[in-house]
Amino acid sequence: MREDPPATPRQGADWHPADVLAALKKRGKSLAGISIAHGYHPTAAGKALKRPWPAMERAIAAELGIPPEEIWPSRYPPVD
């Protein structure tokens, strides 16, 4: 049986929270660990998956090695 390639977020669409979690897990990271490492409550980073929180978005993106604008393009409109 042929295995389909993993789904990737559509260009211009925010990543699904499960995709962010999977990318972190592949790197041995967790939202709670990121939160604690940045001086926040363990549940803080999870809140950034649901609503804007620039500081936590930057922390999550840094762990993934990409800019937050790539994960949440709707939260970072293009600058003219």
Side-chain angles (χ1 to χ4, degrees):
M1 179 174 216
R2 189 176 135 258
E3 189 174 320
D4 291 328
T8 56
R10 295 183 326 269
Q11 187 172 2
D14 289 356
W15 288 23
H16 189 280
D19 294 326
V20 176
L21 291 172
L24 289 169
K25 187 173 182 178
K26 284 182 180 180
R27 289 161 180 80
K29 305 292 182 180
S30 69
L31 291 174
I34 293 169
S35 298
I36 293 166
H38 287 84
Y40 293 101
H41 186 274
T43 63
K47 291 176 173 49
L49 297 180
K50 298 177 182 86
R51 58 184 168 270
W53 186 346
M56 287 309 308
E57 292 166 15
R58 286 190 300 274
I60 292 167
E63 293 292 342
L64 297 176
I66 57 176
E69 296 88 354
E70 190 173 318
I71 302 170
W72 298 283
S74 71
R75 299 180 190 183
Y76 296 88
V79 179
D80 292 329

